[in-house]
Amino acid sequence: AQKITQTQPGMFVQEKEAVTLDCTYDTSDPSYGLFWYKQPSSGEMIFLIYQGSYDQQNATEGRYSLNFQKARKSANLVISASQLGDSAMYFCAMRVGTQGGSEKLVFGKGTKLTVNP
Amino acid sequence: ETGVTQSPTHLIKTRGQQVTLRCSSQSGHNTVSWYQQALGQGPQFIFQYYREEENGRGNFPPRFSGLQFPNYSSELNVNALELDDSALYLCASSFRGGAKNIQYFGAGTRLSVL
């Protein structure tokens, strides 16, 4: 079964410190994509970072980096130098194929990050 | 700003009614996906439209239906509303054929069924 597991319902971090949000995935497909999205209380799902299954290097986007460990099927998000505006829900997602030929995202349950001043 | 806009932002309906939600895609995108997000959960895939046809559906009943228009905008229709349909409905647009095929989301429509 294709599944995303986020085991941390909530995380706290001090402003300017780094934080790691955990994500493990399960799939038998050799080709897949892994995503992290941020969802503030307003509801919009904001794309942060992408890692392809064949990418040799870990993805980075500004203060975000993805620690991709293929053998362990993990794709942890690292946020460096946390800011108050980083407080939000964070979702890990995996792109999988469907019978109709489309590609859908399978999401985890999310981690609520709170950045303290 | 993702360039994906959804309307309305909030909606209140009663059980048994019908509702239509709308989504405008980001410029240059040819695919629209719809997701339902219940409170405290991650989004669940409803279906996807490409070239004005549905080409993938999640575990949702036929009373959930959709349309995609030539300008790639889309509608989600839900008939015979049930209380459990109360959720945030998210639309995402993407470009099929791109290397990463990233889905960009709108701000969602929050539907309450009373």
Side-chain angles (χ1 to χ4, degrees):
Chain A
Q2 291 155 328
K3 187 178 178 181
I4 292 284
T5 302
Q6 295 181 255
T7 57
Q8 306 156 315
M11 289 284 286
F12 293 86
V13 65
Q14 289 297 121
E15 195 178 6
K16 299 181 185 178
E17 291 186 350
V19 63
T20 298
L21 306 184
D22 294 342
C23 172
T24 57
Y25 60 93
D26 186 17
T27 182
S28 55
D29 290 345
S31 177
Y32 50 89
L34 296 161
F35 302 79
W36 279 92
Y37 286 88
K38 172 185 177 181
Q39 188 177 44
S41 56
S42 60
E44 183 175 1
M45 199 71 82
I46 302 167
F47 166 73
L48 296 178
I49 196 166
Y50 165 84
Q51 179 84 40
S53 58
Y54 295 119
D55 293 342
Q56 295 295 315
Q57 300 208 349
N58 288 341
T60 60
E61 291 282 353
R63 295 186 298 112
Y64 304 107
S65 60
L66 199 152
N67 184 1
F68 181 46
Q69 297 190 38
K70 197 169 183 177
R72 296 180 60 187
K73 294 192 173 180
S74 74
N76 297 340
L77 176 70
V78 180
I79 305 175
S80 63
S82 295
Q83 301 172 356
L84 296 178
D86 293 335
S87 293
M89 284 293 291
Y90 287 80
F91 289 93
C92 180
M94 177 170 59
R95 185 181 62 227
V96 301
T98 72
Q99 285 189 333
S102 66
E103 291 185 316
K104 68 177 182 181
L105 294 177
V106 174
F107 286 84
K109 291 190 174 182
T111 296
K112 184 174 182 180
L113 177 66
T114 302
V115 181
N116 294 317
Chain B
E1 288 291 330
T2 64
V4 180
T5 57
Q6 292 187 242
S7 62
T9 54
H10 293 85
L11 206 50
I12 299 174
K13 292 285 188 179
T14 55
R15 195 170 49 182
Q17 285 189 313
Q18 179 265 343
V19 68
T20 298
L21 311 182
R22 294 178 175 83
C23 171
S24 294
S25 302
Q26 185 179 112
S27 177
H29 285 180
N30 55 17
T31 303
V32 175
S33 305
W34 285 91
Y35 293 83
Q36 180 196 66
Q37 186 178 17
L39 200 61
Q41 302 294 318
Q44 298 288 319
F45 175 72
I46 302 175
F47 45 54
Q48 184 177 90
Y49 277 81
Y50 172 65
R51 291 185 175 176
E52 302 177 48
E53 290 193 359
E54 182 185 303
N55 71 335
R57 172 178 276 265
N59 189 24
F60 282 82
R63 60 189 185 84
F64 285 79
S65 63
L67 286 172
Q68 186 184 30
F69 301 100
N71 66 354
Y72 303 118
S73 65
S74 177
E75 286 183 355
L76 164 65
N77 299 291
V78 187
N79 294 322
L81 283 167
E82 301 177 359
L83 297 179
D84 284 350
D85 295 334
S86 295
L88 178 68
Y89 288 84
L90 293 162
C91 162
S93 77
S94 57
F95 178 75
R96 178 175 287 192
K100 297 181 179 180
N101 197 10
I102 296 168
Q103 295 189 16
Y104 293 92
F105 286 80
T109 294
R110 202 168 294 275
L111 173 65
S112 297
V113 182
L114 306 178

